[in-house]
């Protein structure tokens, strides 16, 4: 399947499985409300969806020199997992990680799991970006741990300010799909 066919198939799966419309408003992670919502777990945990996502994310990361892929729990976890698995098949192994919203009260109390070495060059993955706050939170934790955040990759950008927020933080940003590629009204 070509990149364009893979992207088109992912768009179809997201439309069928993850795009919710309603007369009642959905509250987004940003606190904003909308009459449409991308519940991406139905696609990221789907076998075909995970495969398409992994291929498209790896294609997007080809030109970036990174060593690890991950992001803020929970949305980034299935993405980092499928990308990491598929990266092995492509002979470019990229171990995954996730950033906890808060340190655990037991065990190592680490915010980044598994731990990354200072200087690690990482890609942050997101299921949906609105304002970019989740990825920026992950970037803050990663930078504090001495990691270099190279790029943020989002499956769907709602086109509500994330790109500008990343630019202000000198973070490169790649959106695989944007809200305007779906039939959505707000």
């Amino acid at each position: 399947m070509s990149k364009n066919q893979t992207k088109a198939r992912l768009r179809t799966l997201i439309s069928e499985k993850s795009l919710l419309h309603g007369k009642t408003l959905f509250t987004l992670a940003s606190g904003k409300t909308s009459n449409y919502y991308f519940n991406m777990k139905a696609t990221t945990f789907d076998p075909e969806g995970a495969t398409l996502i992994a291929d498209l994310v790896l294609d997007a990361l080809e030109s970036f020199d990174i060593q690890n892929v991950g992001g803020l729990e929970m949305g980034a976890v299935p993405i980092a997992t499928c990308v990491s698995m598929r990266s092995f098949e492509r002979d470019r192994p990229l171990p995954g990680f996730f950033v906890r919203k808060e340190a655990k009260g037991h065990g190592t109390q680490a915010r980044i799991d598994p731990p990354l070495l200072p200087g690690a060059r990482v890609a942050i993955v997101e299921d949906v970006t609105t304002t970019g706050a989740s990825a920026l939170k992950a970037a803050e934790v990663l930078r504090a741990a001495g990691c270099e955040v190279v790029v943020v990759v989002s499956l769907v950008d709602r086109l509500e300010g994330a790109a500008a927020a990343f630019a202000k933080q000198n973070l490169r940003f790649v959106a695989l799909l944007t809200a305007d590629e779906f039939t959505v009204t707000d």
Side-chain angles (χ1 to χ4, degrees):
M1 199 178 321
S2 73
K3 286 182 188 180
N4 287 340
Q5 290 171 318
T6 302
K7 183 177 173 180
R9 180 61 187 145
L10 179 60
R11 184 183 316 108
T12 298
L13 274 180
I14 291 170
S15 293
E16 292 171 355
K17 295 178 173 285
S18 295
L19 179 56
L20 308 175
H21 296 271
K23 293 186 186 214
T24 59
L25 294 179
F26 298 98
T27 301
L28 308 176
S30 65
K32 296 180 180 182
T33 58
S34 174
N35 65 356
Y36 70 94
Y37 180 74
F38 291 97
N39 182 8
M40 295 299 289
K41 305 312 178 283
T43 301
T44 59
F45 282 107
D46 177 82
E48 182 184 9
T51 302
L52 297 170
I53 288 164
D55 286 341
L56 289 170
V57 170
L58 286 167
D59 289 346
L61 294 175
E62 278 180 3
S63 64
F64 296 100
D65 178 24
I66 62 162
Q67 298 164 307
N68 301 86
V69 61
L72 194 67
E73 65 177 348
M74 179 67 215
V77 172
I79 301 167
T81 302
C82 69
V83 169
S84 182
M85 280 183 55
R86 197 74 159 173
S87 72
F88 182 79
E89 294 172 359
R90 288 192 181 192
D91 294 323
R92 186 185 177 210
L94 294 172
F97 68 89
F98 69 95
V99 177
R100 286 187 174 83
K101 293 176 185 171
E102 296 180 17
K104 294 189 316 182
H106 62 284
T108 63
Q109 300 180 358
R111 293 278 308 272
I112 303 168
D113 212 356
L116 300 175
L117 295 175
R121 296 175 50 82
V122 303
I124 293 175
V125 290
E126 281 275 80
D127 53 2
V128 179
T129 49
T130 303
T131 64
S134 294
L136 291 172
K137 186 180 211 179
E140 180 183 337
V141 172
L142 289 159
R143 286 174 168 166
C147 298
E148 181 182 346
V149 180
V150 176
V151 63
V152 176
V153 178
S154 177
L155 303 184
V156 179
D157 181 17
R158 289 180 59 98
L159 300 172
E160 296 182 30
F166 297 143
K168 285 181 184 175
Q169 294 291 318
N170 296 316
L171 288 171
R172 289 177 275 188
F173 177 53
V174 176
L176 300 182
L177 298 163
T178 59
D180 62 2
E181 295 179 73
F182 296 89
T183 305
V184 295
T185 55
D186 208 13

